[in-house]
Amino acid sequence: MNAVSSIQNKSLKVGCQTFTWEMLGNRWSGGPDDLLDAIAGAGYAGIEITDTMIGDYFGRPAAFASALKSHGLTLVAYACGSDSGFTEPSALAGDLASVDRALEFVAEFPAALLSYGSATIMSPGPLDDKFKVAADFYNGAGERGKRAGVRVALHPSSHHNTLLGTRADYDRIMALTDPALIGWVPDTGHILRGRMDILDTIRTYLGRVRYLHLKDVDANGDWAMLGEGVCDTPAVVNVIASAPNFNGWLVLEEESDTAAADPAAGVRRNRETMRSLVA
């Protein structure tokens, strides 16, 4: 029996995050239509696209909706970052203004979420101040999302200079943000790289979960293809599926060197692996 066979009233859907291409930087010369082709061709049902990869579709949500429909894809979430790392007081007003623009786009896609990346340390200064600015941003984004009818979530990471890399950091930002305004996108790879007990962390903040980022790491914390590292994907999904506000989307995000060598092949391979693991 599969680990999620006992789940009732939960329809698991598998999407793909576009960071696999974004991490290539100047080595990637394609556009959003190429992403849709690759992701749909690999057998995914949905896409989480970033503000970096959306291109000129950002100002044309109807055109993007049409492109999604022609590929049989659903927009799971629109993911945004900021050069400020969401921790610079002088950038707070501008970051919040950008939320309004993002919400105008996301509101055109039923059930899609607006996801904000990890608060990041961009300059010297007390961590208390940086947590306060980050919390002010996330709460402010959530308030705007509530008015617009769009759910907003935060996505901590383990990347360089993250403010949200350890369990203590998670506990702190969760305490500073309003659960009625800001959800959480747990990311298995980042949680494991933060040396956390992944199941306990998810259970502790289960009510905050909106959807899940799935990726894998080896015992040293280096990125690995899905199913080739230490992440117990079926166990994680089994816990996530009981989250009261989980929308059913499992979004695969791949950052390994294997995928960087051929992103389309990497995400296709992960989709095949996912079928054998869960769904």
Side-chain angles (χ1 to χ4, degrees):
M1 181 178 291
N2 153 327
V4 296
S5 61
S6 62
I7 297 169
Q8 297 179 359
N9 301 319
K10 290 288 185 181
S11 176
L12 298 176
K13 300 158 289 188
V14 181
C16 183
Q17 225 279 356
T18 61
F19 189 73
T20 305
W21 289 268
E22 183 175 341
M23 69 178 179
L24 301 181
N26 293 334
R27 290 180 290 158
W28 167 249
S29 58
D33 290 311
D34 299 304
L35 301 177
L36 298 183
D37 288 343
I39 290 169
Y44 291 88
I47 181 173
E48 178 181 11
I49 195 164
T50 67
D51 52 354
T52 301
M53 304 303 277
I54 192 64
D56 66 2
Y57 275 129
F58 181 69
R60 301 184 300 130
F64 190 55
S66 178
L68 289 172
K69 184 177 180 179
S70 70
H71 286 83
L73 293 171
T74 296
L75 181 64
V76 181
Y78 180 58
C80 296
S82 171
D83 291 340
S84 74
F86 307 123
T87 57
E88 295 293 312
S90 62
L92 181 58
D95 283 340
L96 289 173
S98 75
V99 173
D100 294 328
R101 295 189 291 274
L103 287 168
E104 289 179 5
F105 177 78
V106 181
E108 297 298 318
F109 301 88
L113 283 90
L114 178 56
S115 175
Y116 277 101
S118 189
T120 303
I121 300 169
M122 306 300 291
S123 64
L127 291 184
D128 287 352
D129 294 347
K130 298 186 184 304
F131 270 99
K132 182 181 183 307
V133 175
D136 286 346
F137 170 76
Y138 290 131
N139 284 325
E143 289 172 355
R144 285 163 167 76
K146 185 175 181 179
R147 291 196 296 268
V150 174
R151 289 177 299 168
V152 181
L154 65 89
H155 173 254
S157 85
S158 59
H159 290 308
H160 182 65
N161 281 343
T162 181
L163 189 69
L164 307 177
T166 69
R167 176 59 188 268
D169 298 334
Y170 280 42
D171 291 343
R172 191 168 185 182
I173 200 64
M174 294 297 191
L176 289 169
T177 52
D178 185 343
L181 298 174
I182 287 290
W184 174 40
V185 184
D187 182 301
T188 54
H190 291 309
I191 292 171
L192 290 167
R193 279 162 56 95
R195 305 302 180 186
M196 300 178 226
D197 181 323
I198 190 167
L199 297 183
D200 179 70
T201 301
I202 292 170
R203 288 189 181 107
T204 299
Y205 298 109
L206 198 62
R208 302 285 288 259
V209 173
R210 298 298 182 264
Y211 61 100
L212 176 68
H213 268 199
L214 270 172
K215 51 182 179 278
D216 216 336
V217 298
D218 65 19
N220 295 319
D222 295 323
W223 299 116
M225 291 291 291
L226 190 68
E228 297 182 0
V230 298
C231 183
D232 186 345
T233 297
V236 169
V237 173
N238 198 44
V239 173
I240 287 287
S242 67
N245 298 304
F246 171 57
N247 66 4
W249 281 103
L250 310 172
V251 175
L252 310 191
E253 183 183 23
E254 184 54 59
E255 299 188 41
S256 68
D257 290 341
T258 300
D262 188 339
V267 301
R268 185 183 310 113
R269 180 169 147 192
N270 272 358
R271 184 66 190 96
E272 293 167 357
T273 299
M274 193 64 185
R275 288 191 181 94
S276 69
L277 292 174
V278 176

